[in-house]
Amino acid sequence: MSQFPAGEWSFLLVGHQWPTDQDLMALSHGRINRDQLKSGFIRFADMLRNARSGPLAEQQGFTVDDLRNAYGRGEEQARQVAEKNGVKANAYGIAYDSTLSLQHDLTALANEGNQRIKEIQDSSQPAAGKVTQIVTVVNQYQALSNIAAAKYSGNVLDAIQTILDCDGTGLSARQYAQSNGLNVGEMFRGRPQGRDLEQQVRGMLEKGGTTPGPGSVYRNPQAPSGREEPNT
């Protein structure tokens, strides 16, 4: 999928909540990496168990007993690490699926918003009236984008909570987000744009609907610019 959904106005309509393909790639790599670690520690634990039940099973002596006990502790620790990596792989998977679903929902919203704006552009009303109506549409679809992002963020926060609980941090997902500079309560609230948005819309109409660059458009200041995983 391209950086933003097709359409002249997509960046204004949904760009402030749009997750990038780089975000999806990072989540996919995280899931794969954690799955591989899980499998590796399970194999290691099985190898230690086989050693205890095989070559060491019939041997006698204090040294052998100590070795069997060490292998048993190693197997237990390896399975614990494997379990933690399994929890994190599942959390990455949930975050990936939720992010992909958000992209799909925002694409549908962008298509609807672009169509509505095209109908306004094609109308015979004065330019000032078009600007007012388009600003209204943009505000509406930005609000709908916030709602969609908030819906899927609930899944991601739940996934983060499973990691925090597994690691025994005692933190809630919201507290963890706050400690990393994200105010969850503010991430999905609209910001007044007023005259700035009106000027952007008027400029796009004068230029024939040319999409503005990322630096010229509203961006939710609470939207995350990167992702940090809880410590393992």
Side-chain angles (χ1 to χ4, degrees):
M1 186 173 290
S2 60
Q3 183 179 6
F4 295 104
E8 296 173 338
W9 298 85
S10 293
F11 194 91
L12 272 178
L13 294 166
V14 303
H16 64 298
Q17 293 293 358
W18 182 258
T20 68
D21 290 341
Q22 287 75 20
D23 295 330
L24 285 169
M25 186 179 300
L27 293 171
S28 178
H29 286 171
R31 175 172 56 182
I32 292 171
N33 180 55
R34 290 296 175 176
D35 272 331
Q36 290 174 341
L37 287 170
K38 173 187 174 183
S39 298
F41 277 101
I42 288 176
R43 287 194 299 269
F44 181 59
D46 289 343
M47 188 171 64
L48 293 175
R49 181 189 59 192
N50 292 337
R52 289 172 59 216
S53 61
L56 298 178
E58 302 301 326
Q59 299 183 38
Q60 303 294 325
F62 292 114
T63 301
V64 175
D65 289 343
D66 289 343
L67 191 57
R68 277 196 294 263
N69 290 335
Y71 277 25
R73 291 192 298 271
E75 178 189 352
E76 182 180 358
Q77 291 172 356
R79 295 199 188 282
Q80 289 174 351
V81 175
E83 181 181 1
K84 284 188 175 184
N85 278 285
V87 169
K88 292 175 182 180
N90 184 64
Y92 272 116
I94 292 171
Y96 178 90
D97 292 341
S98 297
T99 302
L100 188 62
S101 295
L102 175 58
Q103 272 197 349
H104 290 163
D105 284 9
L106 293 179
T107 297
L109 289 173
N111 291 339
E112 293 175 10
N114 276 292
Q115 181 58 38
R116 286 185 57 184
I117 291 175
K118 185 177 184 304
E119 292 171 359
I120 295 171
Q121 288 178 289
D122 292 342
S123 69
S124 59
Q125 63 181 303
K130 291 182 180 181
V131 169
T132 300
Q133 289 193 24
I134 291 174
V135 167
T136 298
V137 170
V138 170
N139 280 324
Q140 177 184 353
Y141 278 86
Q142 286 187 355
L144 291 173
S145 299
N146 292 339
I147 293 172
K151 177 178 70 174
Y152 289 112
S153 76
N155 298 336
V156 175
L157 287 172
D158 288 344
I160 292 173
Q161 191 63 58
T162 64
I163 296 177
L164 296 171
D165 292 344
C166 183
D167 286 343
T169 65
L171 291 174
S172 71
R174 287 178 177 269
Q175 289 172 330
Y176 177 77
Q178 185 75 43
S179 69
N180 282 278
L182 298 178
N183 188 337
V184 178
E186 296 292 329
M187 286 174 62
F188 311 110
R189 294 180 181 176
R191 293 289 187 275
Q193 301 178 71
R195 189 168 298 278
D196 288 342
L197 177 58
E198 182 179 325
Q199 291 175 350
Q200 291 169 16
V201 169
R202 182 176 291 107
M204 289 180 67
L205 286 176
E206 291 173 353
K207 296 177 181 178
T210 303
T211 304
S216 64
V217 72
Y218 155 75
R219 173 78 184 179
N220 188 337
Q222 292 291 339
S225 58
R227 285 168 173 76
E228 181 177 343
E229 181 187 334
N231 293 330
T232 55

